[in-house]
Amino acid sequence: MTGTDRDVIASLDPDERALLAWVAPQLDDAAIEAIAAADYGFDVPGHRRELTELVRSPWLPEELLGGVAEVLALTRWTTPSDRQGHLQRLFACTLLVRAATADGGPVDSLARLVDSARELGEPARDAAVRYLAWCRLNLPPDWRDDPTAPLFLTLAVLLLSARRATATAVAVRLVDELDAVLTDPDLPWRQRPRSPLYVRRDTDLAATRRLWSSLATRCLVDDPAVADPRLAALGAALSGDTGTPVAELRALLGTAT
């Protein structure tokens, strides 16, 4: 990402610690205990100790391995039914998006981070935008090996900032990245659902694909606070509700400033 692309993301006030600084103080002892017990109750005291250190640290870990990584990954896969559940999942995904992990798969964590930040509302959404803008500019380790993965960071930034005046400019960046991935002759062609997000990815779980599709609809199509109608057209294509080619999406968004 260079030049104007970086300028658009940089305008969102990127901050590596913005989301951690917001979500960590929201976790009480009960929340830490719930995450610590996520591995079917195995080694709860050890997990509790490590999680407490992570909650109190002002920095995100560079690497997550062992038992604490396992309970965070299991928390990622939960389906929260209340605010506390979303806080726990948001905390887990914040760490998993940033850190190098044994199994990689940051796109799975990212989708659930976006979902929980959206459900929690402001100021979680703003903190998530700033954090993910930093991730997009700096590409943490697990994002560097798959050339089709970074565009999901751009997508996440767009979904959570869709109500802002800068959203259409971010959408232009996203469509440009999609076009580059889809036309790269070195990437294998794979038939996926109509959404162009998945034409060249075979690593994402069906549940993750469904969640991204749902988020595109909720954030870009169904939100009355999204001012630019072009974003609704983009959202319909990303969700798979329409088969609009990327070239048409580029033409549609080409007048964005």
Side-chain angles (χ1 to χ4, degrees):
M1 179 176 285
T2 58
T4 303
D5 293 347
R6 291 189 67 89
D7 292 343
V8 169
I9 302 300
S11 72
L12 299 171
D13 192 20
D15 184 343
E16 179 187 4
R17 294 186 283 174
L19 187 53
L20 179 67
W22 182 84
V23 71
Q26 313 281 336
L27 299 177
D28 57 17
D29 291 343
I32 295 172
E33 190 74 12
I35 299 173
D39 192 10
Y40 308 99
F42 175 74
D43 192 19
V44 173
H47 298 153
R48 185 195 306 120
R49 183 171 56 254
E50 292 185 75
L51 286 167
T52 299
E53 291 176 0
L54 290 169
V55 167
R56 293 176 178 174
S57 173
W59 296 100
L60 289 155
E62 293 283 340
E63 183 177 65
L64 283 170
L65 298 172
V68 73
E70 181 68 15
V71 295
L72 289 169
L74 289 167
T75 301
R76 168 187 59 192
W77 296 119
T78 58
T79 304
S81 59
D82 56 19
R83 174 180 172 82
Q84 191 63 31
H86 278 292
L87 288 169
Q88 291 165 198
R89 189 174 71 165
L90 182 61
F91 174 74
C93 292
T94 299
L95 272 60
L96 292 168
V97 163
R98 171 67 177 88
T101 62
D103 60 354
V107 174
D108 290 322
S109 299
L110 179 63
R112 287 151 184 86
L113 184 157
V114 173
D115 189 43
S116 284
R118 179 187 178 279
E119 289 299 318
L120 289 165
E122 297 296 355
R125 290 174 67 141
D126 178 69
V129 168
R130 296 178 65 199
Y131 169 56
L132 296 176
W134 182 91
C135 290
R136 184 64 190 89
L137 291 176
N138 293 277
L139 289 185
D142 281 350
W143 295 93
R144 299 170 189 169
D145 294 334
D146 181 354
T148 68
L151 66 88
F152 283 88
L153 284 168
T154 308
L155 171 62
V157 170
L158 171 62
L159 295 177
L160 291 174
S161 64
R163 297 176 178 180
R164 301 186 185 186
T166 54
T168 306
V170 177
V172 171
R173 303 283 77 77
L174 173 64
V175 174
D176 285 346
E177 291 174 30
L178 270 173
D179 187 52
V181 166
L182 295 175
T183 56
D184 188 335
D186 294 327
L187 293 177
W189 185 267
R190 304 183 191 280
Q191 186 62 44
R192 302 306 269 172
R194 284 196 299 174
S195 170
L197 291 171
Y198 295 106
V199 172
R200 292 196 169 184
R201 288 182 63 84
D202 64 350
T203 55
D204 298 306
L205 298 177
T208 299
R209 295 197 295 271
R210 288 193 297 270
L211 180 54
W212 281 120
S213 295
S214 173
L215 287 166
T217 299
R218 284 183 279 157
C219 295
L220 300 178
V221 180
D222 294 342
D223 188 345
V226 175
D228 190 337
R230 294 175 293 179
L231 296 180
L234 175 60
L238 296 177
S239 68
D241 287 343
T242 67
T244 307
V246 171
E248 290 186 22
L249 293 172
R250 292 192 74 182
L252 178 69
L253 293 163
T255 58
T257 58

